[in-house]
Each structure stands twice: as C-alpha cells, then as structure tokens.
C-alpha cells in the first residue's frame, strides 16, 4: 500500500482483511500518526549591485523556497523603504540597511527566511566655489564684509566674523557648511579657504587743530613749526601719531 502526498495533520490507519473461502474478515488495530509541515528549499537573495544616494528604486531577485506562501519584507535601518504597491525598494538616505525576506508557511511547508544587507553610499556633491568678499573700512568687523557669489549646496560664512581686519592683510578664512553632509560625501572637498578682503583706510578725527609758531617777515612758511594738534582714532580717545605739513 502506497499513499503519496499525504496532507499535513493527524491521520489514522487500519488494515482490513475482507475474508476468503476459509477465513473470516479481520481488521488490524488502528494506528494514529501526525504529518508535519516540511521545510522549504533554501531561500536565497541575489547580491544587490552597489547603490548610491540618488539611485532609482530597485527590486530583489529571490530564488528557492517551496509552496505558495507570500513574501513579506522587514527592513532594519533607515536608508531604504519598501513600496508594497510597486514591489520595489526606494533609497531615502545614505547608510546601511538589512532586508529580511520571509516566504510564509502554507499547508505543507514551514516559513523560510533570508537576509541581505544593502549599503547606500554617499553621492558626490556639486563643486564648491568660494565667494569673493566686499570691501570694508578699517574698524569694521569681518562680518560687515558681504560674501558675494560662490557655488555649492550649502552656505558660506567668515570663520570668525568678529575679527577687525587690518588694511594690509593676507585674507581671512571662509567656511563652507554643506546643507546635506549625511547623503553627500565632502571628505575630499575643501570646506575652508582664505578669501581676500579689501580694507579701506578709516578717516581719523581732528579734535584739536595744530598751532603754528611765529615766523620772521619774508621767511618761508616752512620755518613755522606746527604743534599742539590732537588726532584720534575710531574709538575717539586714542591719539594717533603723525606729522603735520
């Protein structure tokens, strides 16, 4: 007696002899047994090609498994999400995520799972071109110098806007702050650069005019000595050194 494709569950079996010319009918004791689900064939996921932030949606290529159980997906990580409508995975940020695929159990097979890790690399950002600086007057802080132009997905600012630059200078540092360093790779891009700034001379204040010494008649004016003048700087108190002519 052969019974193929026995369904999963509890079963009872009894052998019955129908009898003959010399023997009566007879039956064996009833035997009970359970048929358990079988394990599915190994479930495998083909390797996912390298991914970079900004790439389009992708699908998984799954092989193996047994039965007609449905696939479900669980994602650990935040770099990708699954769209049940399209059956595709969408990249939402750079980083690493692990996808666990489960082929559900059915009447004959247990559930089977497989996992794959997908690494989403950072994308290359647009080139960074540093701006030029507007001219200021001595005594003003760097923050008064407007940074004009410049290119890049982010913002530019003086490294220390409180600095009072001198008329003669070699430029001052400007810092670029990326708008999205999580998804774009700035590791090989210059983020700080010295930018030239023109500082015009300030106009001092004469608080006391000079007086001229007396000269003899018909003498040159250059023989008169100028003295007593007071010229102060931007703070209104510091006297500046210099000569009058």
């Amino acid at each position: 007696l052969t019974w193929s494709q026995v369904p999963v569950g509890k079963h009872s079996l009894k052998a019955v002899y129908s009898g003959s010319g010399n023997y009566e009918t007879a039956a064996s004791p009833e035997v009970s047994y359970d048929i358990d689900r079988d394990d599915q064939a190994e479930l495998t996921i083909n390797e996912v090609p390298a991914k970079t932030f900004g790439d389009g949606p992708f699908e998984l290529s799954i092989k193996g498994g047994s039965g007609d159980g449905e696939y479900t997906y669980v994602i650990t990580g935040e770099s990708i999400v699954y769209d049940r409508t399209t059956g595709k995975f969408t990249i939402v940020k750079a980083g690493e995520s692990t996808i666990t695929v489960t082929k559900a159990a059915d009447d004959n097979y247990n559930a089977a799972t497989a996992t794959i890790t997908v690494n989403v690399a950072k994308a290359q950002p647009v080139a960074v071109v540093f701006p030029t600086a507007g001219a200021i007057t001595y005594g003003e802080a760097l923050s008064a110098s407007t940074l004009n132009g410049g290119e890049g997905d982010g913002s530019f600012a003086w490294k220390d806007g409180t600095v009072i630059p001198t008329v003669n200078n070699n430029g001052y540092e400007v810092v670029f702050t990326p708008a999205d360093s999580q998804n774009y790779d700035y590791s090989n891009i210059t983020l700080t650069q010295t930018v030239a700034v023109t500082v015009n001379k300030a106009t001092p204040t004469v608080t006391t005019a000079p007086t001229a010494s007396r000269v003899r008649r018909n003498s040159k004016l250059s023989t008169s000595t100028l003295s007593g003048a007071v010229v102060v700087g931007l703070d209104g108190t510091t006297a500046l050194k210099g000569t009058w002519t």
Side-chain angles (χ1 to χ4, degrees):
L1 175 65
T2 301
W3 186 10
S4 61
Q5 296 181 340
V6 182
V8 172
K10 293 182 179 295
H11 300 276
S12 297
L13 182 64
K14 180 173 64 174
V16 178
Y17 175 63
S18 61
S20 66
N22 296 313
Y23 293 95
E24 298 287 342
T25 59
S28 69
E30 190 174 87
V31 178
S32 297
Y33 59 94
D34 294 333
I35 299 297
D36 295 327
R37 291 188 179 95
D38 195 4
D39 290 332
Q40 296 187 37
E42 183 183 8
L43 194 65
T44 60
I45 306 171
N46 287 347
E47 183 178 354
V48 176
K51 296 298 178 183
T52 301
F53 179 74
D55 287 350
F58 63 94
E59 297 177 292
L60 294 183
S61 177
I62 305 170
K63 295 181 179 180
S66 306
D68 54 8
E70 294 184 352
Y71 290 107
T72 57
Y73 306 90
V74 175
I75 299 172
T76 303
E78 301 179 346
S79 63
I80 58 177
V81 295
Y82 178 64
D83 187 339
R84 294 179 182 276
T85 302
T86 63
K88 296 182 179 181
F89 296 86
T90 300
I91 295 172
V92 294
K93 62 173 63 175
E96 186 178 275
S97 289
T98 298
I99 305 171
T100 299
V101 180
T102 299
K103 184 174 175 58
D106 60 13
D107 291 341
N108 299 310
Y109 294 97
N110 296 314
T113 62
T115 62
I116 188 169
T117 297
V118 178
N119 183 58
V120 179
K122 292 183 178 183
Q124 282 299 113
V126 297
V128 175
V129 179
F130 278 78
T132 58
I136 57 176
T137 300
Y138 177 71
E140 293 182 306
L142 270 178
S143 57
S145 173
T146 302
L147 295 173
N148 304 304
E151 298 177 9
D153 183 17
S155 60
F156 297 94
W158 293 106
K159 184 175 182 179
D160 185 356
T162 65
V163 170
I164 307 297
T166 57
V167 172
N168 296 318
N169 65 76
N170 294 317
Y172 295 86
E173 287 186 319
V174 170
V175 177
F176 174 76
T177 301
D180 185 1
S181 58
Q182 178 179 359
N183 295 312
Y184 292 90
D185 184 8
Y186 286 89
S187 59
N188 295 318
I189 293 181
T190 299
L191 300 180
T192 301
Q193 183 172 298
T194 298
V195 174
V197 56
T198 298
V199 180
N200 297 315
K201 292 183 177 181
T203 301
T205 301
V206 179
T207 58
T208 302
T211 58
S213 62
R214 297 174 64 86
V215 297
R216 295 177 179 277
R217 185 180 179 183
N218 296 325
S219 296
K220 293 182 178 180
L221 189 60
S222 60
T223 61
S224 174
T225 302
L226 299 174
S227 62
V230 178
V231 181
V232 296
L234 296 176
D235 61 4
T237 58
T238 304
L240 302 179
K241 294 181 180 182
T243 58
W244 288 87
T245 57

